[in-house]
Every structure is written in structure tokens, then in C-alpha cells.
Amino acid sequence: TLPSENTPVAAGVSIAANPVFTDFFNQNIAYKTAMRDREALEAILRDAESRGGRISIQALKALPVVTQSNTGLQNEIAELETRQAQLRRLLMSYTDSYPPVQRLRSEIEELETKTIPALARLSLEQLRQQEQELKRRIDGASEELRRIPQRTIEEARRAREVEVASKVYMDLRNRAVAARLAEMSALPDVSVLDSAVAPSRPSSDSAPAIFFIALFASLVVALGLVATLDRLDPRFRYPEQATRELGLDIVGAVPTMTNPRSTAARLQEASQLIESFRSLALTLRSAFEGTGPVQLTVSSPGPGDGKSFISANLASALADSGYRTVLVDGDVRRGALHNVFGPMDQEPGLLDYLAGEASLESVVRATAHGNLFLVPCGRRRRHGPELLSGDSMVRLVRELRSQFDAIIVDSAPLGAGIDPYALGVATGAMLIVLRTGETDRKLAQAKLEILDRMPVRILGTVLNDIGENPQFRYYYYLEGYGTVEAAAEPAGRLGPGAPAGAGS
């Protein structure tokens, strides 16, 4: 009943009809397959030991029996390939010092040296057990089955090898296709059409845009800085600060004397200055129309505002307009009007009269101007402020009212003491001088609050030394309309050779 080598039977067809014979062949094939897989896996593990424990994943994937029988090994190999693909993508954009790159390298190292080798050894142990079991079954088979022609066994073995090789080929081909797809998805869709060369001109010039942006930013910063400095500046700068912040009416504005070299320019400046005092005198005359002679005290918040200059030139303008005018130097601390209209002795003067040491006729001095008279400050005394606030000062103003059409009293600054307040109460009216760029607005506001509680009529303010600032352009007079007489008047009567706004 056993086939022989000369039996005309188609190999693998008639013999395979016997189930016992078929089972023997299958066991033999399985035994040889398990033996080859075991040997291949042992070779892979030996190679891994020679490489520091890093196992070859491609060699493992070439053993389908190993990967198919160990699901955990299949999952770990897939996980390793995923981590390697992620690492390749990160290395295209980042260096090895990037934390995610370092983390992926550590995970790949763990899989290649520990996890996968451990699972491969487990598969090797399973193959050894399977090989021993198959060998035991083959050895225990009947003697007749052992006498099966060698040719048939070899045919079946080779058919098995063909089947295994076919499966390996299909698996490798599928993996190659997947690898190409992964490479195409990982790399950017960029193709080099031309080699890189240095351009002869820039594709876009951002210099003009940067220039205009820098210019605009500088302008914004400059405007912001100017606005901040202007808000923080305590000095008087604009006419609105006098009207809105201090609540004063502007009754006149005096331009700045720059003393230019050109004769025509000097005449124009002199004309502007004279016209400003003519306008101021007319405004003050209108303020006292119908109430008696013009009598007022001229003061300022602090020193250097030009109150003495305003007093002297206002008195001159009133005298020019036909008013019999007396100018009283009420600045008993630092008064020097006797030098302006001099040479003239300081004594006797105002304090000497108030102390009862001189008569009114002796202290009223005539000047070079026919309608202008001066009362100097007199000998300085420690109790001079008390004399100004006494009844003698009120009597002096009353006596001067009967002799003069205008009484102008120059006083010390409001911040110097009680002198200007006493003189303001004696005359009943006060004119405040504010100098552009010099007067402290906070000081002026504090002193004006004190004046509001006294019986003093504040006539307004004179803006001194307004310069050529655009905010004061409407306070200037038209050029070319100055009179010849006005332009030819000597500047000596305007002060002691000092420009407008100079002096205290």
C-alpha cells in the first residue's frame, strides 16, 4: 500500500488524498519551518548582542511566523516605526537639542534595546517548544509513514518554501509601497526647478517702508513727549492759561525787544512796543471812566516778570496821552525806578513820607516828561511793609488823587510779602503782569486766591515778552503802520536800556 519511487502518481495529488499521509507531511513541513525560523531568530539575537543589544527590525519582519505568532511583538514593531517616522519629521525642522526630539530618541532606544529583544526571545522560546513538540510527534509516527518517498517530502517542502517566499515577497512589496507613501507625505511638495544664484537686485525693497514707519513713530513719540512736557511745564506759555486757568482778562500784550541790527527792524520793534503801551493805557483809562482818576497797583507773581518795566512804560504812555501821571515806586525792598528816570536821588521817598520824615512836595519829583512825576521808594527800612499797610499810605493815595489824573504804583512781587496786597488795598485796583516762559502758574494761582479775599479790583493781566510765538500772533500789530514820530521816539523812556520784559 506504500508508494514507491517508481509509482506513476502525480506528486502531492494522489498521496495527499490519505489524511494520515497528509498529516505526516504537514507535521514534517511544520517541523522544518520551525527549525529554520528558530535558527534565523537565534542568528538575529546573536547579531543584536554584537551590536550592543540593538535588534534588527527588518530581519525580524522577514520572519512572518515570529511576528504572526506574537501579537505583542507586532504591536511594538509598529510602535517603533511610528516613533521613527515622527523623529524623521522633527529632525527636518529641529536640532537634537529640541526636547521632543530627545524624548523620541529615548523611546526608540527603549524599544530597540529592551522591549523588542525581550519579545523576540519569548518568540524564540515558543519556537523551540514547537520544534520539540513536532519532533516528538514525527518520531512517534508509524514506521510506514516514515517510509514515504523522499521525493514527495522534498516536493512538499519546496512548495512550502515557495508559499513562504511568496508571502514574504508580498509583505515586503506592501511595506515598500507604504514606505514610499510615508516618504512622500513627510517631505514638502517642493521641486527644484533652477539652481540657487545670488539675485542682482532685491525682489522687494522695504527700506522706504521702514523709513516712513520710523518717521511716523518718531513723530508720534515727539508729539507725545511735547504734550507731556507741555502738561508738566509749570510756567506760563499760552494766553488760554491766563484766561481759563487763572481767570484773568487780557488787557494788553507787550512784545519782545530783540534789538536787531537793521535800523528799519529796530524802528518796527519800537513801533510795536509803543503801540502795545498805547493800547494798554487806553484800556485802563476806559476801565476807570466815570469813577475818578486812574489809580492802580502793578505787580506780578514772582521776580523777573517785568512789572517795573510795565509800570514805567504805562506811566509814560498815560502821560503821553495828556494825563497828569505820578509813578510811585512801592517796591520798598528792591525798587530802582529812580535810576530809570534819573539820575535822581532815592531819598527822600515813599517810606520817608510814610514815616513822617518828609513832606509830599519833597517826595514827588518831576521827570524829563512834562506830565510824568515820580515818587522814589525812599530809604529802605526794616518796618517798611508795616508802613505800606498803614493809614498813611491810604492818605497818600487820597492826596495824590487831588493832584494827578493817573496814579501808577509799582509794587514788589506777590510772593515777596504783604507789600503788593497793602498797596492794592490802598489803590483799590491791581494789574497782574505775566511773563511768557517765566511766570510760575501755580504760584500765580495761589496768590490770586489770596487777592480774591481782599477788597482789590483785579483789572486783568498784561502778557509780557510774548516773543514771536504763534499762539500770540493775534496780539501783534500790523507792520508798516507805525507813525514816524512813534518810531523816532528814543527808546530811553522805555527803560534803562533793557529789552521788553527785563527787570522785576
Side-chain angles (χ1 to χ4, degrees):
T1 60
L2 296 178
S4 64
E5 292 292 337
N6 298 321
T7 305
V9 179
V13 179
S14 300
I15 300 176
N18 190 337
V20 178
F21 192 82
T22 302
D23 183 62
F24 174 79
F25 269 103
N26 290 336
Q27 290 181 10
N28 200 346
I29 292 174
Y31 169 73
K32 292 182 180 292
T33 301
M35 182 176 62
R36 285 194 301 271
D37 290 343
R38 173 184 59 78
E39 293 173 352
L41 186 56
E42 288 177 348
I44 292 173
L45 291 175
R46 285 194 302 270
D47 182 65
E49 292 177 358
S50 64
R51 298 196 307 172
R54 190 181 301 275
I55 196 167
S56 175
I57 304 302
Q58 299 301 328
L60 276 181
K61 292 168 62 176
L63 300 176
V65 175
V66 177
T67 55
Q68 292 174 4
S69 61
N70 193 338
T71 307
L73 183 58
Q74 292 180 358
N75 296 335
E76 293 302 330
I77 291 176
E79 182 68 19
L80 175 61
E81 292 177 344
T82 302
R83 292 286 187 271
Q84 289 175 342
Q86 294 177 356
L87 178 60
R88 287 193 297 271
R89 286 195 296 271
L90 288 178
L91 289 177
M92 294 177 64
S93 303
Y94 301 97
T95 62
D96 292 340
S97 60
Y98 187 52
V101 172
Q102 296 177 354
R103 178 176 53 81
L104 282 175
R105 286 188 183 277
S106 177
E107 293 176 356
I108 292 173
E109 181 75 16
E110 180 75 16
L111 289 171
E112 289 182 345
T113 59
K114 295 181 180 181
T115 305
I116 294 179
L119 294 174
R121 292 187 185 93
L122 179 60
S123 296
L124 177 60
E125 187 63 29
Q126 293 175 356
L127 284 174
R128 287 172 178 172
Q129 294 177 2
Q130 182 181 0
E131 182 182 358
Q132 293 176 1
E133 178 65 22
L134 290 173
K135 190 174 184 304
R136 185 186 59 81
R137 291 182 181 179
I138 292 173
D139 292 340
S142 63
E143 184 66 23
E144 287 77 7
L145 292 179
R146 291 181 184 274
R147 295 168 57 189
I148 296 176
Q150 187 64 29
R151 185 183 59 183
T152 306
I153 296 176
E154 183 66 18
E155 180 184 2
R157 183 185 64 79
R158 294 193 178 187
R160 176 62 177 172
E161 289 179 352
V162 171
E163 180 182 0
V164 172
S166 177
K167 290 182 178 180
V168 171
Y169 169 75
M170 294 300 296
D171 181 68
L172 291 176
R173 190 176 64 175
N174 294 335
R175 290 180 181 275
V177 173
R180 283 196 297 270
L181 291 176
E183 182 182 6
M184 294 175 63
S185 62
L187 295 177
D189 296 333
V190 176
S191 59
V192 179
L193 300 180
D194 297 312
S195 58
V197 293
S200 59
R201 62 179 63 185
S203 59
S204 61
D205 188 6
S206 58
I210 295 176
F211 172 77
F212 286 111
I213 291 175
L215 181 63
F216 179 75
S218 302
L219 181 61
V220 172
V221 172
L223 291 177
L225 183 61
V226 168
T228 302
L229 293 178
D230 183 70
R231 181 173 294 272
L232 297 177
D233 189 4
R235 294 170 293 181
F236 173 72
R237 295 289 185 184
Y238 308 103
E240 293 79 7
Q241 294 172 339
T243 56
R244 297 177 183 176
E245 294 184 14
L246 303 179
L248 298 175
D249 295 331
I250 299 176
V251 297
V254 179
T256 301
M257 290 291 291
T258 59
N259 194 21
R261 295 183 178 181
S262 171
T263 303
R266 286 200 300 271
L267 291 176
Q268 182 62 35
E269 277 195 349
S271 175
Q272 290 279 342
L273 191 65
I274 293 173
E275 289 298 334
S276 66
F277 281 104
R278 284 175 176 173
S279 175
L280 177 61
L282 179 60
T283 302
L284 294 178
R285 286 163 49 191
S286 302
F288 288 92
E289 191 71 28
T291 60
V294 176
Q295 59 179 42
L296 56 93
T297 300
V298 180
S299 185
S300 63
D305 292 332
K307 59 176 184 55
S308 298
F309 171 76
I310 298 298
S311 301
N313 287 277
L314 174 61
S316 299
L318 289 171
D320 287 340
S321 62
Y323 276 55
R324 182 177 171 83
T325 306
V326 59
L327 175 61
V328 180
D329 190 354
D331 188 355
V332 298
R333 303 172 187 265
R334 298 171 57 182
L337 288 179
H338 57 280
N339 295 326
V340 175
F341 297 94
M344 187 180 296
D345 294 332
Q346 181 178 344
E347 303 175 14
L350 176 62
L351 290 181
D352 301 305
Y353 173 81
L354 296 179
E357 300 176 358
S359 62
L360 179 61
E361 292 77 9
S362 63
V363 299
V364 177
R365 315 282 182 85
T367 65
H369 196 292
N371 286 333
L372 180 61
F373 297 85
L374 174 67
V375 177
C377 61
R379 184 169 61 89
R380 308 191 192 283
R381 306 166 188 262
R382 295 181 56 186
H383 61 286
E386 286 80 4
L387 295 176
L388 293 178
S389 60
D391 294 336
S392 299
M393 186 65 200
V394 178
R395 289 196 300 270
L396 173 62
V397 174
R398 188 180 302 117
E399 292 180 6
L400 293 176
R401 284 170 57 93
S402 62
Q403 301 180 26
F404 296 94
D405 301 323
I407 304 170
I408 307 299
V409 180
D410 179 33
S411 72
L414 294 173
I418 66 170
D419 307 17
Y421 302 102
L423 294 174
V425 171
T427 58
M430 182 175 288
L431 183 66
I432 305 297
V433 178
L434 300 178
R435 185 175 181 180
T436 305
E438 294 291 338
T439 302
D440 191 329
R441 303 198 314 272
K442 299 297 182 181
L443 176 62
Q445 187 174 11
K447 300 306 177 182
L448 288 175
E449 290 178 357
I450 298 176
L451 277 177
D452 290 340
R453 296 191 288 270
M454 293 185 175
V456 179
R457 176 189 175 190
I458 300 178
L459 300 175
T461 181
V462 177
L463 306 182
N464 186 25
D465 195 14
I466 60 175
E468 296 182 357
N469 298 324
Q471 57 267 25
F472 295 102
R473 63 183 181 275
Y474 299 113
Y475 293 93
Y476 278 86
Y477 298 93
L478 296 176
E479 296 182 2
Y481 280 84
T483 60
V484 176
E485 293 80 8
E489 286 191 39
R493 80 172 189 86
L494 299 175
S504 61

